Amino acid sequence: MEEKIIAVTRGDGVGPEVVDEGLKILKLIAKFTNFDFKFKDAPAGGEVYKKYGNNLPERSFDIIKSADALIFGAVGLPDLPPGVAETAILRIRQELDLYVNLRPIKLYEPLRDRCPLKDEFIGNGIDITFVRENTEGLYANIGNISDDKAENLMIYTRKGCERIIRYAYEFAKTMGHSKVTSVDKANILKPSQLWRKIFHEIGIEYPNLQKEDFYIDAFCQWLIREPDKFQTVVTGNMFGDIISDEGAFLIGSLGMASSGNIHPGKISMYEPIHGSAPDISGKGIANPIGAILSVKLMMQESFQSPAIAKEIELSVEESLKEGRTIDLQNPDIKNLTTKEMGDLIAEKLKLRLKT
Ligand code: NAD
Ligand code: IPM
Ligand code: MN
């Protein structure tokens, strides 16, 4: 029996709605495999801030630090000033040194009808993994604000660049990719110049992988123009945040995209890339697949179970032919609530795990 403690931060808005569907999948895995999960609530975010004046109470953070993995919903409330809830994520990423933000963007075959691109642009399909640096850059939290002036320092260290770029090359090698793409703004930003230099220095150790660089602005159009040309894409913190939301809509909806905030070998955090979606929260219509695929990443990355991870992914893909939440609407396919979507995927997974 493999016993694992999973910290659960449901968060705000649609966070709790989608996390509950992720937990449904974990409970099923516990029932049909040799994993045994113990769940511990670690509340954080805007609602918690309103109660305790702190978006990440020490009690919650202690639970997170002593867990084997963390599943996280989303934080942020429209009636709080920007940042009041959101800094909870940054604190977790910084203090646990979760330097890798792995963000796969894969267009599942049944969702081709929801891809906003014409077939000629989709080409051979979309299957990209963004490897986003997750602790430095503009997110290093070095800044000041007054009424007259506000500043953030964009900082990249050699150590910070080396470890994420090496991770990306290793990831590409493991996945059997032929190429690694780096996205920066080296034509203007000093940290990007260091980044690009290190990308090529480390690249020498991977002679079998092609290397290519793009500036972020042009990359944004290439991502739409020829998404099938990309496999592993490594980039800085801010650029990675933006291009992963762009990528998420290419695969049908922001609600489809998952992520792992990873420090290899240590506690890592798994979350859908979307936010608390105040425009749809409380209605039970949010797409839970980003959260469910985050559980897939947890099984794959933290618990070294690629076979279970694959079964989750196949269950998602299969389910999308039969039912979908409203963001993926198709008149020929049944419209489901968040909970019904989770149930359908769980039903498929149950059949797969039983056999
Ligand atoms: P958002 O990601 O919450 O929503 C953007 C759009 O995508 C909305 O129309 C929303 O309805 C839709 N969407 C998001 N998730 C969906 C899902 N699961 N199913 C269907 N549709 C979905 O971005 P926003 O509106 O800019 O931000 C809202 C709040 O969330 C802000 O406070 C922001 O700071 C915060 N935020 C938090 C996280 C996080 O906790 N990881 C990430 C991004 C934004
Ligand atoms: C994300 C979010 C966060 C980020 C915010 C909420 C701090 O947008 O995880 O993509 O900018 O990284
Ligand atoms: Mn984001």
Side-chain angles (χ1 to χ4, degrees):
M1 203 52 109
E2 283 213 57
E3 287 179 24
K4 303 286 181 196
I5 295 173
I6 299 186
V8 181
T9 300
R10 286 185 168 78
D12 303 317
V14 299
E17 302 172 34
V18 299
V19 164
D20 281 348
E21 303 314 307
L23 294 180
K24 197 177 272 175
I25 298 301
L26 283 166
K27 286 173 189 160
L28 202 66
I29 293 169
K31 197 164 169 195
F32 290 101
T33 72
N34 66 341
F35 279 99
D36 186 18
F37 299 122
K38 191 167 176 203
F39 302 104
K40 289 191 177 174
D41 271 320
E47 298 293 355
V48 171
Y49 175 85
K50 283 184 185 172
K51 245 195 226 164
Y52 304 110
N54 181 350
N55 62 22
L56 181 59
E58 288 317 307
R59 226 189 115 258
S60 292
F61 206 13
D62 285 344
I63 290 170
I64 291 170
K65 285 184 210 157
S66 64
D68 293 300
L70 164 64
I71 181 165
F72 193 98
V75 296
L77 288 174
D79 59 348
L80 285 173
V84 166
E86 291 87 342
T87 51
I89 309 180
L90 299 189
R91 196 173 156 214
I92 296 170
R93 288 177 183 163
Q94 295 286 350
E95 291 191 29
L96 300 181
D97 199 24
L98 306 176
Y99 67 91
V100 181
N101 197 325
L102 202 59
R103 299 190 153 194
I105 294 293
K106 183 168 172 181
L107 177 63
Y108 293 108
E109 208 42 48
L111 283 189
R112 262 184 109 96
D113 64 296
R114 293 299 306 178
C115 175
L117 303 179
K118 290 182 188 155
D119 266 351
E120 65 180 283
F121 291 105
I122 300 175
N124 295 323
I126 306 175
D127 190 358
I128 307 169
T129 303
F130 291 119
V131 179
R132 169 187 176 191
E133 201 291 324
N134 212 30
T135 53
E136 295 196 334
L138 281 171
Y139 286 69
N141 202 19
I142 302 169
N144 275 304
I145 181 165
S146 72
D147 266 354
D148 300 318
K149 190 180 168 200
E151 60 191 16
N152 274 111
L153 186 62
M154 186 190 233
I155 181 160
Y156 263 106
T157 64
R158 171 166 282 275
K159 179 187 164 207
C161 295
E162 279 183 355
R163 63 182 184 174
I164 191 70
I165 289 168
R166 194 176 295 284
Y167 182 96
Y169 278 118
E170 284 296 323
F171 179 85
K173 201 169 131 185
T174 310
M175 298 299 285
H177 291 172
S178 58
K179 184 172 76 171
V180 179
T181 304
S182 168
V183 177
D184 64 34
K185 187 71 183 173
N187 50 353
I188 185 72
L189 300 175
K190 302 279 184 261
S192 283
Q193 291 165 7
L194 178 65
W195 171 283
R196 190 175 278 219
K197 184 168 177 276
I198 293 172
F199 176 67
H200 290 284
E201 274 173 24
I202 296 183
I204 294 170
E205 297 169 34
Y206 299 88
N208 297 330
L209 287 168
Q210 295 169 47
K211 295 102 199 164
E212 67 180 1
D213 305 281
F214 284 94
Y215 296 130
I216 178 67
D217 45 357
F219 178 82
C220 287
Q221 65 90 43
W222 279 114
L223 184 59
I224 291 170
R225 181 169 157 189
E226 267 182 51
D228 65 351
K229 81 193 244 130
F230 301 113
Q231 305 171 22
T232 298
V233 176
V234 63
T235 189
N237 212 335
M238 185 81 257
F239 302 151
D241 179 41
I242 298 165
I243 58 181
S244 51
D245 273 31
E246 184 189 352
F249 203 74
L250 292 183
I251 59 168
S253 163
L254 195 46
M256 284 298 297
S258 59
S259 77
N261 298 254
I262 297 169
H263 187 120
K266 292 199 182 162
I267 161 123
S268 298
M269 161 167 76
Y270 297 88
E271 53 169 351
I273 76 165
H274 63 75
S276 56
D279 54 339
I280 57 164
S281 75
K283 298 181 179 161
I285 58 168
N287 186 341
I289 295 180
I292 289 173
L293 290 175
S294 300
V295 166
K296 178 228 170 213
L297 281 177
M298 182 191 288
M299 295 312 299
Q300 179 184 306
E301 302 297 320
S302 281
F303 301 152
Q304 273 86 51
S305 299
I308 298 176
K310 191 73 208 164
E311 298 299 351
I312 299 174
E313 184 172 41
L314 291 171
S315 306
V316 165
E317 193 166 3
E318 235 175 273
S319 303
L320 287 165
K321 295 179 200 153
E322 289 174 32
R324 297 178 188 176
T325 43
I326 190 95
D327 52 318
L328 298 173
Q329 200 172 28
N330 176 319
D332 299 325
I333 293 172
K334 214 157 106 193
N335 183 39
L336 303 178
T337 65
T338 307
K339 193 179 162 302
E340 287 166 346
M341 190 72 226
D343 285 342
L344 178 59
I345 295 167
E347 205 180 284
K348 304 276 180 213
L349 183 63
K350 187 174 165 182
L351 289 174
R352 290 180 165 276
L353 294 178
K354 265 169 93 174
T355 50

